[in-house]
């Protein structure tokens, strides 16, 4: 790829996206062909926030490529607890690794950190900002299940603080996608994201209810209401549990509707959907390994 750092979905062109997804399809079809392609490569993991899928899938991805990880560990067990700055932390860890993966609670942290290092830095989530590798695996799942042509997608839940939503909405402007945003008025897309989407030529259709648009959708992308992002607990309580779907909800949906979720879920998708053909969220999570293998393969290849 032509990017040293992967900071935002906004930096990815349609060609960049297709390159990663095509490579991911090759990985999924024949993972053994990619074993040991990056033998002895080390990936530095700096996670300042909790993570299950992102951290474990990056670990699995680099190990399946023949490499390994060096892990900062928890904030409590690191020098961050002693007051070390993010800039100093990344400058130290770049000396131990061929590429870095950073998750941090502050929006803009990945961009800032990338200015202090010479090895590739991949943003694994910066507060309510961006999460580009989640977007790539989301796009891979969408392409496999519904395709990119004449796509109608509904994105529902926390659109204000949801970094997965912000990244995905930007990336979908590169394909033939009609986007509908469903949320409480208090959790609609931030003005900055809305402005960027307009600049990219997207038509923004906002709704407070799913029912009026459900039958039109090829994909329904559900997100949880993120308690940890709310500055005011009363604001969270006012909307918690407001957007939930179950099998009865989907009776009005198309038979081939794809339901996705970046996980973890709380109560926004009932477990009675898990066994239906609509449910793609666990496969979506599993797609994190071939997609991140593909991205690391391309990024590390560019370092040779």
């Amino acid at each position: 790829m032509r990017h040293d750092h992967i900071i935002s979905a906004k930096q990815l062109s349609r060609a960049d996206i297709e390159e990663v997804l095509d490579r991911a399809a090759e990985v999924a079809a024949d993972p053994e062909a990619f074993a040991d392609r990056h033998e002895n490569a080390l990936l530095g993991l700096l996670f300042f926030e909790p993570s299950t899928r992102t951290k474990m899938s990056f670990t699995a991805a680099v190990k399946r490529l023949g490499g390994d990880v060096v892990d900062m560990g928890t904030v409590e067990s690191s020098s961050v607890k002693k007051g070390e700055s993010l800039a100093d932390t990344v400058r130290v860890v770049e000396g131990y690794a061929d590429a870095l993966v950073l998750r941090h609670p502050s929006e803009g942290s990945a961009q800032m950190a990338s200015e202090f290092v010479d090895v590739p830095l991949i943003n694994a989530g910066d507060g309510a900002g961006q999460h580009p590798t989640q977007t790539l695996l989301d796009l891979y799942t969408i392409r496999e299940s519904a395709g990119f042509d004449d796509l109608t997608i509904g994105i529902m839940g926390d659109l204000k603080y949801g970094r997965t939503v912000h990244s995905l909405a930007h990336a979908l402007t590169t394909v033939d996608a009609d986007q509908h945003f469903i949320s409480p008025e208090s959790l609609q897309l931030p003005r900055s994201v809305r402005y960027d989407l307009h600049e990219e030529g997207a038509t923004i259709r906002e709704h407070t209810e799913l029912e009026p648009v459900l039958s039109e959708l090829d994909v329904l992308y559900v997100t949880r209401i993120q308690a940890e992002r709310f500055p005011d607990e009363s604001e969270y309580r006012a909307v918690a549990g407001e957007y939930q779907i179950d099998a009865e909800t989907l009776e009005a949906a198309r038979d081939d509707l794809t339901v996705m979720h970046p996980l973890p879920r709380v109560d926004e998708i009932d477990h009675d959907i898990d066994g239906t053909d609509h449910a793609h969220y666990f496969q979506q999570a599993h797609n994190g390994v071939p997609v991140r293998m593909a991205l690391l393969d391309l990024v590390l290849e560019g370092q040779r």
Side-chain angles (χ1 to χ4, degrees), residues 78-100:
S78 73
S79 291
V80 177
K81 193 71 174 176
K82 302 175 183 177
E84 184 173 62
S85 69
L86 176 59
D88 282 359
T89 298
V90 295
R91 280 187 286 197
V92 168
V93 180
E94 78 161 324
Y96 309 146
D98 301 293
L100 305 177

Side-chain angles (χ1 to χ4, degrees), residues 22-188:
D22 289 346
R23 184 71 60 93
E26 294 175 19
V27 172
D30 187 8
E32 289 301 315
F34 289 81
D36 301 325
R37 279 173 65 96
H38 297 282
E39 189 175 6
N40 299 322
L42 287 176
L43 186 65
L45 302 180
L46 301 99
F47 279 71
F48 291 73
E49 282 188 320
S51 174
T52 300
R53 280 152 296 279
T54 302
K55 188 173 186 179
M56 291 187 71
S57 63
F58 264 117
T59 301
V62 73
K63 288 188 175 186
R64 289 183 182 276
L65 290 169
D68 209 336
V69 298
V70 285
D71 188 350
M72 181 187 82
T74 65
V75 170
E76 289 72 20
S77 65
S78 73
S79 291
V80 177
K81 193 71 174 176
K82 302 175 183 177
E84 184 173 62
S85 69
L86 176 59
D88 282 359
T89 298
V90 295
R91 280 187 286 197
V92 168
V93 180
E94 78 161 324
Y96 309 146
D98 301 293
L100 305 177
V101 179
L102 172 67
R103 170 170 289 189
H104 197 279
S106 298
E107 187 171 346
S109 55
Q111 179 62 53
M112 184 278 287
S114 71
E115 297 170 3
F116 291 91
V117 296
D118 294 321
V119 300
L121 185 143
I122 300 172
N123 181 9
D126 61 331
Q130 290 274 316
H131 196 348
T133 66
Q134 176 70 46
T135 292
L136 288 167
L137 72 91
D138 291 342
L139 292 172
Y140 182 82
T141 306
I142 291 169
R143 191 175 75 164
E144 293 294 298
S145 64
F148 283 164
D149 297 323
D150 195 26
L151 175 71
T152 302
I153 180 170
I155 304 177
M156 185 176 81
D158 180 357
L159 311 186
K160 181 178 181 179
Y161 300 112
R163 59 193 175 204
T164 62
V165 168
H166 304 163
S167 289
L168 181 60
H170 285 297
L172 285 170
T173 64
T174 69
V175 303
D176 183 16
D178 187 8
Q179 300 187 62
H180 293 266
F181 299 96
I182 305 115
S183 71
E185 290 186 4
S186 63
L187 292 179
Q188 289 180 337

Side-chain angles (χ1 to χ4, degrees), residues 17-18 20 63 74 106 108 116 118 127 136 155 157 177 187 193 244-245 255 286 304:
I17 291 167
E18 295 283 6
V20 176
K63 288 188 175 186
T74 65
S106 298
F116 291 91
D118 294 321
L136 288 167
I155 304 177
L187 292 179
V193 175
Q244 300 175 339
I245 63 170
D255 291 341
H286 297 161
R304 288 176 177 172

Side-chain angles (χ1 to χ4, degrees), residues 186-207:
S186 63
L187 292 179
Q188 289 180 337
L189 288 170
R191 182 178 300 175
S192 60
V193 175
R194 190 183 292 111
Y195 175 82
D196 286 345
L197 294 177
H198 277 307
E199 288 292 294
E200 292 161 8
T203 300
I204 298 175
R205 297 174 175 85
E206 294 182 297
H207 315 271

Side-chain angles (χ1 to χ4, degrees), residues 230-241:
F230 283 74
D232 184 346
E233 187 178 347
S234 63
E235 183 187 359
Y236 167 71
R237 289 199 303 267
V239 294

